[in-house]
C-alpha cells in the first residue's frame, strides 16, 4: 500500500538544515562576529556536503552502482541540488553585503570588498605589504591547453589571471596558489580617523599583480577552487592495527580524488572560464558558480581589531548539585536513571563517572559508544586505564568520521593501546 506520508529527499533536506544555519547570520540580535561565524560554518558544511554526498551522486550519474537510485535519478538530484545551492548563494551574498558589512562599519570596521572602496591613503601600505609579505611566496604557473595539465589541490584557493603581451598582443593565462600558510587571509590595514580596516589577501594581490608581469597588460583576475571526492570506505579489518593502516592509506588518496566541484568567481568572463575548463579537463556538470571571494569558512578567523566589540559569551555548562564530586555517581544511578543533555550539562560529570568505574572493584566491564574524540582524549585515556586495570572494555567507535583525519587516527591508535 502507498504511504500517505511524504518525505523530503535527504540531500535536499540537509540543504534546508544548512540554510537554517545561514539564517542565523541574518539575525540582528546575534553579535556581529557570531553572525560572521555562522557564515563560516555554513560554508564549511557545504564543502563537506559536496565532497561526500554530491560526489557519491556524481559517481552514480557517471555509471557507478547504487542501491538507492538510478543513473537518471542521480542526474536529476544533482540538478536540484545545484538549483538550491545557487538560490542560497544569492541569500548569502545579500546577508553579507547588506547586513554584515554595514554592521561592521557601524562598529568602525571597514572591510574592503572592491578596489573602488580602497582609501588612497592605504595604497602605499598595500603595495609595500604585497612586495614584502606576499610576493616572495607567489609562484605563477602558465596555463595552456597544449601543455601538461596543472594539478589543482583540493580546497586551496587559486588566482587565475589573463594577460596580454604588450609587444604582440598575445593572450596568456597564469594560475597561482594563494600562500595561506605564509600570509594571513585577512590583512589589517592602518587605522584612520578612528576606523579599523581589513582586506582580503587576494584583493591585495589583484591590486598589485601587474608588478609580477612586466611587459604585460593585466586583463582580469579571478579566484577558483576545486573539491575532490573525499568519501572514505574502509573494509572491515581483523584488528585495530590493520584499520589504522587502511585509514592512513585512504586519507592520503583523498588529495588525488576525482574532481566533484569546480567553484569559480561567477563574474569571470565566459571565454576565460571555457579556457580553464578545457585546460584543466573539468566536466561541465562539475561547475559551481561562486562569489568573488571563496573559501568563506576562513571567516571564522576574521580579525576583530575593535577592542570595544565583543563576541557573544559562551553559555557555561550547567552542573548538577546532586552529582558534585563529593558524591558517588555509581550509587546515584543504582537508585534511578540519569539523563544528561549535551552541550547544556557539564561533561565533567561523565568523566567523573568513568573515573569511578575505573577504580571501583565491583565494576567488571565498561561498554561505550564513541563518535569523535580529541587527539588527547580524557575519555579514551580513562578507558585505557580501565583495560589495564583488568576490566573488560568494549568500545563501538566511529573511526571513519569524515574530514577528521587526526581524530580518526588518534582514536584508532589509542584504542589499539587498550587492546
Amino acid at each position: 500500500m502507498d504511504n500517505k506520508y511524504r518525505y523530503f529527499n535527504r540531500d535536499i533536506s540537509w540543504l534546508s538544515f544548512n540554510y537554517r544555519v545561514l539564517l542565523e547570520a541574518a539575525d540582528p540580535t546575534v553579535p556581529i562576529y557570531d553572525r560572521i561565524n555562522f557564515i563560516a560554518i555554513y560554508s564549511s558544511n557545504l564543502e563537506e556536503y559536496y565532497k561526500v554526498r554530491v560526489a557519491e551522486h556524481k559517481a552514480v550519474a557517471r555509471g557507478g552502482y547504487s542501491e538507492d537510485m538510478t543513473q537518471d535519478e542521480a542526474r536529476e538530484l544533482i540538478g536540484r541540488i545545484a538549483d538550491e545551492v545557487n538560490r542560497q548563494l544569492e541569500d548569502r551574498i545579500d546577508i553579507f553585503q547588506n547586513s554584515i558589512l554595514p554592521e561592521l562599519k557601524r562598529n568602525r570596521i571597514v572591510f574592503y570588498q572592491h578596489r573602488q572602496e580602497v582609501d588612497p591613503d592605504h595604497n602605499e601600505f598595500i603595495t609595500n605589504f604585497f612586495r614584502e609579505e606576499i610576493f616572495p611566496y607567489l609562484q605563477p604557473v602558465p596555463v595552456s591547453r597544449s601543455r601538461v595539465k596543472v594539478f589543482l589541490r583540493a580546497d586551496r584557493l587559486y588566482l587565475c589571471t589573463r594577460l596580454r603581451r604588450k609587444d604582440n598582443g598575445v593572450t596568456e593565462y597564469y594560475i597561482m596558489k594563494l600562500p595561506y600558510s605564509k600570509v594571513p587571509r585577512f590583512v589589517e590595514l592602518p587605522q584612520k580617523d578612528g576606523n579599523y580596516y581589513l582586506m582580503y589577501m587576494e584583493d591585495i594581490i589583484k591590486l598589485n599583480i601587474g608588478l609580477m608581469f612586466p611587459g604585460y597588460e593585466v586583463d582580469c583576475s579571478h579566484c577558483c577552487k576545486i573539491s575532490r571526492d573525499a568519501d572514505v570506505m574502509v573494509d572491515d579489518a581483523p584488528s585495530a592495527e590493520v584499520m589504522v593502516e587502511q585509514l592512513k592509506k585512504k586519507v592520503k588518496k583523498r588529495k588525488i580524488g576525482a574532481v566533484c566541484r569546480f567553484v569559480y568567481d561567477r563574474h569571470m568572463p565566459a571565454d576565460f572560464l571555457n579556457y580553464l575548463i578545457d585546460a584543466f579537463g573539468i566536466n561541465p556538470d562539475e561547475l559551481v558558480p561562486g562569489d568573488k571571494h571563496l573559501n568563506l569558512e576562513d571567516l571564522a578567523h576574521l580579525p576583530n581589531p575593535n577592542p570595544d566589540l565583543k563576541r557573544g559569551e559562551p553559555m557555561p555548562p550547567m552542573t548538577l548539585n546532586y552529582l558534585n564530586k563529593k558524591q558517588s555517581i555509581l550509587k546515584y544511578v543504582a537508585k534511578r536513571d540519569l539523563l544528561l543533555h549535551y552541550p547544556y550539562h557539564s561533561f565533567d560529570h561523565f568523566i567523573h563517572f568513568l573515573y569511578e568505574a575505573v577504580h571501583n572493584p565491583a565494576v567488571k566491564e565498561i561498554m561505550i559508544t564513541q563518535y569523535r574524540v580529541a587527539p588527547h582524549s580524557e575519555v579514551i585515556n580513562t578507558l585505557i586505564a580501565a583495560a589495564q586495570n583488568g576490566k573488560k572494555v568494549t568500545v563501538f567507535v566511529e573511526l571513519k568520521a569524515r574530514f577528521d583525519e587526526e581524530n580518526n587516527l588518534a582514536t584508532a591508535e589509542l584504542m589499539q593501546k587498550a587492546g
Side-chain angles (χ1 to χ4, degrees):
M1 60 182 290
D2 293 335
N3 195 323
K4 65 179 181 179
Y5 298 106
R6 298 180 63 186
Y7 299 96
F8 288 109
N9 173 276
R10 73 166 191 165
D11 294 284
I12 302 301
S13 176
W14 185 92
L15 287 174
S16 298
F17 148 74
N18 204 36
Y19 183 66
R20 179 66 185 86
V21 175
L22 177 63
L23 291 180
E24 285 297 300
D27 186 349
T29 65
V30 175
I32 182 61
Y33 268 82
D34 290 332
R35 293 168 63 186
I36 293 171
N37 195 45
F38 276 115
I39 292 181
I41 295 170
Y42 167 84
S43 303
S44 178
N45 288 347
L46 193 61
E47 183 70 26
E48 180 172 336
Y49 175 80
Y50 265 93
K51 287 181 181 178
V52 178
R53 293 197 177 184
V54 178
E56 180 182 350
H57 299 325
K58 287 190 174 182
V60 175
R62 290 192 292 264
Y65 172 75
S66 173
E67 296 181 350
D68 300 324
M69 65 180 66
T70 66
Q71 189 173 10
D72 288 339
E73 288 172 338
R75 289 171 178 165
E76 188 270 338
L77 178 57
I78 291 170
R80 290 177 61 193
I81 289 172
D83 290 341
E84 177 61 19
V85 170
N86 288 336
R87 184 191 70 80
Q88 292 183 14
L89 173 65
E90 296 299 327
D91 287 347
R92 201 272 297 155
I93 292 173
D94 178 69
I95 291 170
F96 192 77
Q97 294 289 338
N98 299 319
S99 182
I100 299 295
L101 292 177
E103 182 64 19
L104 283 174
K105 198 168 185 177
R106 280 191 288 272
N107 286 278
R108 297 185 288 119
I109 299 175
V110 179
F111 190 5
Y112 288 144
Q113 301 293 302
H114 305 282
R115 66 175 62 199
Q116 294 85 355
E117 300 173 352
V118 177
D119 191 301
D121 289 343
H122 283 139
N123 286 337
E124 182 179 358
F125 174 88
I126 290 172
T127 300
N128 291 337
F129 189 89
F130 172 79
R131 289 180 182 273
E132 298 171 9
E133 305 295 336
I134 302 178
F135 182 58
Y137 301 110
L138 296 179
Q139 297 178 319
V141 177
V143 178
S144 174
R145 287 176 281 200
S146 61
R147 298 180 183 178
V148 176
K149 290 183 174 62
V150 177
F151 180 80
L152 301 181
R153 296 186 60 180
D155 307 330
R156 299 300 178 89
L157 200 57
Y158 290 85
L159 185 65
C160 300
T161 302
R162 183 161 65 183
L163 308 162
R164 292 189 182 89
R165 293 182 63 94
K166 292 181 179 179
D167 55 357
N168 56 19
V170 173
T171 299
E172 296 182 16
Y173 296 83
Y174 284 82
I175 188 170
M176 65 184 82
K177 180 165 61 75
L178 299 190
Y180 281 169
S181 62
K182 305 295 184 181
V183 185
R185 176 79 188 277
F186 309 104
V187 179
E188 295 187 46
L189 309 180
Q191 298 181 38
K192 181 182 177 183
D193 299 330
N195 292 323
Y196 305 90
Y197 294 84
L198 301 172
M199 193 170 186
Y200 284 96
M201 180 234 296
E202 59 264 37
D203 287 345
I204 291 180
I205 297 174
K206 290 179 183 180
L207 283 175
N208 295 277
I209 200 166
L211 300 175
M212 300 183 63
F213 298 97
Y216 289 84
E217 291 181 354
V218 179
D219 178 40
C220 58
S221 295
H222 299 275
C223 285
C224 69
K225 61 172 287 186
I226 66 165
S227 301
R228 295 187 179 274
D229 186 344
D231 202 5
V232 172
M233 297 300 294
V234 179
D235 299 329
D236 292 335
S239 66
E241 293 89 342
V242 176
M243 177 69 81
V244 171
E245 291 305 314
Q246 286 189 11
L247 278 171
K248 288 180 178 178
K249 292 178 181 179
K250 293 290 185 178
V251 166
K252 290 180 180 178
K253 288 186 177 181
R254 278 179 169 176
K255 299 177 181 179
I256 57 174
V259 175
C260 62
R261 182 174 64 150
F262 181 84
V263 191
Y264 61 94
D265 180 352
R266 61 181 182 165
H267 300 104
M268 182 186 294
D271 58 337
F272 193 167
L273 177 61
N274 290 333
Y275 186 92
L276 296 179
I277 292 172
D278 192 12
F280 296 137
I282 303 295
N283 294 324
D285 64 351
E286 293 160 355
L287 297 177
V288 177
D291 197 14
K292 175 184 178 183
H293 299 108
L294 307 177
N295 274 16
L296 291 189
E297 53 266 34
D298 291 341
L299 286 172
H301 309 291
L302 183 71
N304 177 7
N306 186 348
D308 298 327
L309 185 59
K310 305 298 183 182
R311 297 190 65 157
E313 293 293 330
M315 297 187 65
M318 294 185 293
T319 58
L320 302 176
N321 292 332
Y322 51 85
L323 290 183
N324 63 60
K325 294 185 178 181
K326 295 180 181 179
Q327 297 178 334
S328 169
I329 298 180
L330 286 173
K331 291 181 179 179
Y332 182 88
V333 297
K335 299 178 181 178
R336 55 177 294 187
D337 291 337
L338 174 67
L339 182 63
L340 298 180
H341 299 269
Y342 296 108
Y344 304 105
H345 286 140
S346 171
F347 206 72
D348 288 343
H349 297 315
F350 180 69
I351 297 297
H352 178 48
F353 179 59
L354 285 182
Y355 280 144
E356 272 198 80
V358 170
H359 299 289
N360 191 318
V363 175
K364 305 299 182 183
E365 183 175 0
I366 298 175
M367 303 177 70
I368 186 173
T369 298
Q370 193 74 24
Y371 180 45
R372 298 188 187 187
V373 297
H376 304 288
S377 169
E378 198 169 359
V379 171
I380 297 297
N381 287 332
T382 304
L383 294 175
I384 292 173
Q388 292 172 344
N389 279 355
K391 303 181 188 300
K392 183 179 178 182
V393 178
T394 302
V395 181
F396 183 84
V397 59
E398 173 64 274
L399 288 178
K400 295 185 286 185
R402 295 169 175 122
F403 313 108
D404 210 353
E405 287 89 350
E406 289 186 3
N407 285 355
N408 285 338
L409 299 178
T411 305
E413 290 168 353
L414 284 169
M415 295 316 300
Q416 179 180 334
K417 294 178 183 177

